[in-house]
Amino acid sequence: MDSINQNQPEENFKDLIGQEALDKIKDLAKNAGSCFFCTKIEDGLAFATRPMSPQNIDNDGNFWFLSAADSYKNQQLKADPAVQMLFGSGYSNFLTLYGSGSISTDKNKITELWNPMLKTWFTEGVNDPRITVIKVTPKEGYYWDTKHGMAVAMIKRMVGAVIGETYDDSIEGTVSP
């Protein structure tokens, strides 16, 4: 059986490395706004996941989160730093990243990342003694996106459906920052 990718008249696979990968990671992650943050990643076993929003994605592609010192995720990261983050935005723009997480109590970084909405979880504000910083450094990932935006992608899909041919504007591949 032929893959759907073989029915397309244009290339829809592109691996990204270096700055091009970093740009794609930042774009897709920022568009999504939040992710499923997964820990306890072990082959064949259920992993732990929870929604989280990165407070920042720096120029090196590191993701920065604020988390409670007594949270399960912090306990799990101390036992095993492996992290997977899953981002999605609408009907396209998906990203999965694997990396390594580390925890710190750097007060300068906490202040830099602080947002007043976080007081919901840290009731004592920016000086709450439970706040920790999680830094996730991505090592590898995979993305699914559109080449020309959702409007063009939808038009191509409609044309393909009408004439019975595959006109998919998607692009996918690995990302290696």
Side-chain angles (χ1 to χ4, degrees), residues 39-139:
T39 52
K40 288 182 54 179
I41 302 167
E42 301 172 33
D43 281 346
L45 300 176
F47 54 88
T49 188
R50 75 282 294 155
M52 289 188 71
S53 296
Q55 299 305 307
N56 187 32
I57 307 166
D58 68 25
N59 290 332
D60 295 324
N62 297 305
F63 286 72
W64 298 89
F65 301 85
L66 294 180
S67 177
D70 55 353
S71 69
Y72 289 122
K73 91 181 89 33
N74 280 41
Q75 293 171 23
Q76 292 160 350
L77 282 172
K78 286 177 186 174
D80 179 1
V83 171
Q84 180 181 17
M85 298 180 296
L86 304 162
F87 296 87
S89 176
Y91 295 103
S92 66
N93 307 337
F94 298 97
L95 174 67
T96 181
L97 293 171
Y98 292 93
S100 181
S102 61
I103 302 168
S104 81
T105 55
D106 180 335
K107 292 299 182 189
N108 290 330
K109 196 66 172 176
I110 290 168
T111 301
E112 175 189 326
L113 299 173
W114 181 254
N115 171 330
M117 291 299 293
L118 295 168
K119 198 166 180 185
T120 299
W121 294 277
F122 305 108
T123 57
E124 295 181 39
V126 71
N127 294 313
D128 192 309
R130 294 174 46 249
I131 300 177
T132 64
V133 176
I134 295 176
K135 174 185 175 186
V136 176
T137 302
K139 293 185 168 91

Side-chain angles (χ1 to χ4, degrees), residues 5 11-29 84-89 91-98 140-148 169-177:
N5 295 338
E11 185 62 36
N12 69 332
F13 190 87
K14 183 178 181 185
D15 291 334
L16 306 176
I17 57 172
Q19 190 61 50
E20 192 175 20
L22 286 173
D23 291 345
K24 180 61 74 176
I25 287 168
K26 289 174 80 171
D27 180 52
L28 293 176
Q84 180 181 17
M85 298 180 296
L86 304 162
F87 296 87
S89 176
Y91 295 103
S92 66
N93 307 337
F94 298 97
L95 174 67
T96 181
L97 293 171
Y98 292 93
E140 62 181 324
Y142 202 88
Y143 76 98
W144 299 263
D145 197 4
T146 59
K147 290 182 258 185
H148 304 100
D169 195 54
S170 67
I171 185 84
E172 64 181 283
T174 61
V175 285
S176 302

